[in-house]
Amino acid sequence: MIMSGKFGRYGGVFVPELLIPALEELEGAFLKYREDKKFNKELEYYLQEFAGRPTSLYFARNLSEKWGCKVYLKREDMLHTGAHKINNTLGQGLLAKYMGKERLIAETGAGQHGIATAVVGALLNIPTEVYMGSEDVERQKLNVFRMELSGARVLSVDSGSRTLKDAINQAFRDWITNVDTTHYLIGSTMGPHPYPTMVKHFQKVIGRETKEQILQKEGELPDAVIACVGGGSNSIGIFSEFIDDEEVELIGVEGGGEGIGSGRTGATLSVGTEGILHGSFSYVLQNFDGQITEAHSVSAGLDYPGVGPEHSYLKITGRAEYVAITNKEALRGFELLSKYEGIIPALESSHAVAYAEKYAKMKENRGRSIVVNLSGRGDKDMFLVAREMGEKI
Amino acid sequence: MNSEEDYKNSKGNYNNSKGNYKNSEEDYENSKGNSDSLNIRVESYSAMFQRAKEKSEGVFIPFIVAGDPDFETSLQIVRELVEGGADALEIGFPFSDPVADGPTVQSADIRSLNAGMTTAKGFEFIRKIREFTSIPIGLLVYYNLIYKMGVDTFYENARKSGVNGILAADLPPEEAGDAVKAAEKNGLNQIFLAAETTSNERLQEIIKLCSGFLYVVSVMGVTGARSEMGTSTVEMVGRMRSHTKLPLCVGFGISKPEHITEVIKAGANGAIVGSILIDVIAENLGDQDILKAKIRESCREMKEATLKDQIE
Ligand SMILES: Cc1ncc(COP(=O)(O)O)c(C=O)c1O
């Protein structure tokens, strides 16, 4: 390894020896191509022409009036496949192609990252296989079909929790067995080095655009940037550009599930403890012995018992603040944005919207400017939300 | 909110496979202080390898998961392994997310966790083994179990219960500083993995930290019985032999006595066999007597494959 892959004490490469050469190869390729003109030009082309960048920074006038703050929405929901995930899958997919890899594998929970990987596999002509917990396969049939339409094979994982955590385990096992030919396209800023650094690199475009756009519209930096945190990629993507601007509050919103005291939560940074999961040292949900426990959130993208190591670092250093929003509150965020702005957000992003309301309503924050990262759109959540609202569709 | 409580509160909300396993805080409290009194005899790895060398044979090291399918049965299985001719033992502590393991070991982990295995009970398990054998015992764990207990505490508990060496499957040299220090402090061996893809330079780094023996991974992949042994395994063993005087034990995928003979002929000191034994456990959960007899028989066959007349 050239870099240690550490953020303070967090991160690292906690993987079986068999994977180290592959991680070294990946790190080398990443460091090389990130400076490569041709690579960057090609990536920029796809981000623009295929994914639909830049996304707008939309002034949410109705909510702003209602809340007494200036509320801006970074519209990652407008991207192809419906979420920020495509920024990363295009970056890593292209990298895999430059590395001469013949096969992509990915993990997925709700299917967003799986779809973003599948379409990139189709675009770049690389056979793609997506691991998905058998419970998620059952819950997200529509997304399974979408992945298959794009030519990907969906591999149902029946071991352990039968959800995202074990889909990741299975993807690692596949990679250990097929390192020569295969690139493991991890979907968030988690996993062993170089993934947290590399995924951040590909998601930084969110923050870069946001900064430019807000300066153009407001002539000054925002008071707060709010984003939801699952593995941590859309949040790191938008935070990173503002980390050195101390006056900007950075707020990560976790999936609180049924409440952080309920035992059924995905709020890893709020209630978890330090530990090692999926290759890096970070906060995790675990029991006394260090057995990893299940996360719970109404939004599959926040339903993960770990979190990217850089978030642990930002939490410990106090540079970012992490809060939890419950399932119920998130549904309210979902309804608010749909009703007042005509924008139907993903349930993940709805957590950020819900916290933005709380933030705006604090006395000391009156009149401030807030950027909410709208990481994805809500199409995928229609059935679930309808059910939660007691509607039949 | 204390997360500890959080998890206790959530007990019973999931089905068995959901990873809400027994919390060992209680076991841990109960076990404190009763270990130092143990007067145990422990044979070192070097003495064991020397013993084999004098008899011109290889060593056979069976692997099982502590507490699979339950504490008592598992302990009886270990007795059979020892009776069946094991030269040393490799004992896994179960983990909820074993990324280096195939379905066989994963299932063993789940059986063990569901039967109430905890880290504290794992050490108790080792102490019980020490009541009937002094052959070397290696622990195979995932690093989070070590980290969560506290590296120093874990190694101290390992020493006190009679462990010889520790291998953390997800702990490459880059991250092993604390573990190696704790191993030295407690007079334990820190064991590392090396594989076909391990370059010679990297091998040098690993060897600097490794003691007891080097665990050579015979296949690119996860644990699990394979019907064929790759020809490259033989080459790899030869390459590693030329780089180190450390004893070499080959594991992952070995399923037949012939494989054992083959790797020893290639220059390895021994073979580690897990999945095939765990398959026997999984297939005979209903009948303990048959299970024990089959385990012992398997062991006999595999030990035989290491003997002088086989490997010459
Ligand atoms: C729309 C959306 N937002 C957020 C997330 C959470 O991931 P991350 O924290 O990596 O941005 C997901 C994950 O599936 C998602 O689909």
Side-chain angles (χ1 to χ4, degrees), chain A residues 186-204:
Chain A
I186 292 185
S188 189
T189 43
M190 32 120 347
H193 174 69
Y195 285 100
T197 301
M198 178 170 67
V199 176
K200 167 166 101 167
H201 175 77
F202 292 130
Q203 291 292 1
K204 264 182 174 172

Side-chain angles (χ1 to χ4, degrees), chain A residues 166-178:
Chain A
D166 286 272
I168 296 173
N169 290 338
Q170 207 54 33
F172 270 115
R173 293 183 187 115
D174 180 317
W175 202 32
I176 289 173
T177 313
N178 301 295

Side-chain angles (χ1 to χ4, degrees), chain A residues 6 12-14 16-17 135 165 169 173 260 263 271 274-276 281 285-286 288-294 296, chain B residues 3 6-7 14 18 23-24 94-99 101 106 118-119 144-145 147-148 169-170 172 175 202:
Chain A
K6 293 269 160 78
V13 281
F14 294 88
E17 183 62 34
E135 253 180 46
K165 173 172 82 75
N169 290 338
R173 293 183 187 115
I260 56 170
V271 303
E274 291 176 343
I276 294 106
F281 175 54
L285 298 179
Q286 58 186 334
F288 179 80
D289 271 346
Q291 307 293 350
I292 306 303
T293 51
E294 278 276 286
H296 287 276
Chain B
S3 61
D6 217 17
Y7 294 116
Y14 321 137
K18 286 291 195 178
N23 213 310
S24 83
F95 184 49
S96 54
D97 294 80
V99 290
D101 288 299
Q106 280 176 59
T118 62
T119 306
N144 199 43
L145 300 188
Y147 179 81
K148 191 63 175 49
D170 55 350
E175 309 293 352
R202 216 177 144 77

Side-chain angles (χ1 to χ4, degrees), chain A residues 82-85 112-113 187-189 228-235 301-302 346 348-349 375-377 380:
Chain A
H84 68 292
K85 298 280 174 191
Q112 282 309 105
H113 174 59
S188 189
T189 43
C228 67
V229 180
S233 68
N234 85 84
S235 45
L302 307 185
E348 290 79 8
S349 323
S375 55
R377 72 177 87 121
K380 69 185 172 64

